[in-house]
Each structure stands twice: as structure tokens, then as C-alpha cells.
Amino acid sequence: MKKITVFSVVFVALFMFLSQVSLAKVKSESMVAVWLFDEGKENVVADSTGNGHDGKIEKGAKWVNGRFGKALEFDGTDDWVSIPHAKNLGFAAGKSFSITVHFKGSKVGGSLFGKGYEDKSQALPWYLLWNDGSSPKVTLFLRDEAGASFRADGNTAIADDKWHFIAAVADASKGKSSIWIDGKREAEADFNKNSGYGTNDGVAAIGRHYDRYTKGIIDDVGLFSVALTADDIKTIMDAGLGGVLTAVSTRNKLAITWGEIRKR
């Protein structure tokens, strides 16, 4: 009976592992911050990584149904989310990073997400998932310590009131930045990999840049300390960051379970 029980546990654990393995390829240690927007109430947006980068809803963005669970709707006038400065929200010279976000709206006014340029006084060096509101497209916009600018400009109109998944990747190993829309890489650009980005004392901001504000629904914002791969981007796009976090947690629990089984 004991052997049958152990076999059953192993079979179930193996099945669960195989069902989660592709999702769990996104490593938990690469997740700097994840804002799922699933609270649905109050004015705090929790960082689901446990790293403590909780955000504050400014000026009354509204809780609505999102791409996955709940989300925040921004009015394009003065709504945004502020996240206090923290050292690991910036990336030193030679360090790669990535940003992901789901968006459904009519205007990318300023920024979907960024650090160092939420108002009119920029703090170098900064990064933005940006548009100035004059175009329905989006750009990964980097400005280095010397004030030089680097842009990877998307081609797809994302401000069309339909859900889009945007990923921005700064790969310091190659000195290449890229913008991905709905799982496809649309542009790649050189950038100065010898500069840091976001290594300023400014806050991080969702939905705001300068005096411009985004109009629409933002869901599932993620910040990563690696250059996400095409497979990573597709996984996050399809499963959502909540699904990825669940898979990572399941993988870790299964590793513990397997360790206990081997002792029997």
C-alpha cells in the first residue's frame, strides 16, 4: 500500500510539473516588481513579488475588469500610479532589463511605465515605455547619464481601444533594445550599454510622464532584471503575470515534495 501511495504522489507531482514547466521558465529571481492590479479596492497597488514596491493610486484611477482579473482605468487627465524610489528599480551599466504591460485605451499620454521623468524635471538616466500622446504607437525610450537618447519605436497602433500586450527589452549583453507588440518584435535599436538606466532618485510612474497622462486600462505591469526571450514574452502574454507567479510557486512546492518523496 505504501508503494502504491508513493507512486500515486509521484505521478501527480510529475503531471503537475509538466503542466507548469513552460510557465515556470520565467525565473522568480528575475522579477523586480509585478503589479497585477487585482486588489479591486482602496488606493494601494501591491507588488506581488514581495519585494515591497507597492504603488499609490494618484487622483482617482478607477478599478475595472482587466485582461486578467481586475485592472486600473486612467482618465487621461491626471490619473497615475506612483511607486517610491528604490535602488533595484534602476539598472546599473551593463545590466539588462525588461518591462511588460497589457493596455487597452485610446491614448498613451506620456508613459505606460517609467522611472525618472514623471514630471517636468527629468532625473537622468531614465527609461520610459513612452509616447507623447501625438501618436497611437509606443516606444521604448532610454536616456543615458550624458543625456543621449535611444529609441526603439513600435509600428502597431495600440491606442485603438483593444487589448494589446507590450514588452520592452534592453539587452545589455548586445547593446540592443527592442519593442514587442502582441508577441512580435517590431523594432530594435542600439543603446549605450555603458550607462545605467533608472539609476536616479526619481519615483517610478504608471500612466504618466511630464504633464501628459495615459487614457485607458492598464493591467499586469512587470519589471524584470533580465532581457526576456521571445518564449518568455509569449508565456507572459498568454498566461498573465499571475499565471507565471502561480507556476513558479507550484514548481518550488513540487521541488520540496519531490525531496520529501525521495526520503521515503
Side-chain angles (χ1 to χ4, degrees), residues 1-21:
M1 180 62 70
K2 183 178 179 181
K3 289 183 178 179
I4 293 175
T5 301
V6 171
F7 175 80
S8 298
V9 171
V10 170
F11 179 81
V12 171
L14 180 60
F15 176 79
M16 292 176 66
F17 175 79
L18 291 175
S19 67
Q20 298 289 339
V21 66

Side-chain angles (χ1 to χ4, degrees), residues 69-173:
K70 292 295 183 180
L72 279 176
E73 184 173 21
F74 300 78
D75 65 7
T77 302
D78 58 4
D79 295 348
W80 64 296
V81 172
S82 63
I83 300 105
H85 163 73
K87 185 176 180 179
N88 67 342
L89 293 176
F91 303 92
K95 299 295 184 182
S96 299
F97 64 96
S98 303
I99 304 164
T100 63
V101 59
H102 285 269
F103 174 68
K104 178 184 178 182
S106 59
K107 182 179 72 172
V108 180
S111 175
L112 294 174
F113 179 74
K115 185 176 188 296
Y117 207 172
E118 84 287 352
D119 59 22
K120 294 182 179 181
S121 56
Q122 67 172 325
L124 294 173
W126 47 256
Y127 59 80
L128 293 171
L129 198 49
W130 171 92
N131 189 280
D132 64 4
S134 64
S135 163
K137 302 173 184 180
V138 68
T139 291
L140 173 58
F141 200 159
L142 306 177
R143 186 163 290 170
D144 70 12
E145 295 158 356
S149 297
F150 309 92
R151 295 175 47 161
D153 299 315
N155 300 317
T156 297
I158 66 164
D160 59 357
D161 281 319
K162 297 177 182 178
W163 280 111
H164 292 282
F165 177 70
I166 302 97
V169 178
D171 187 343
S173 69

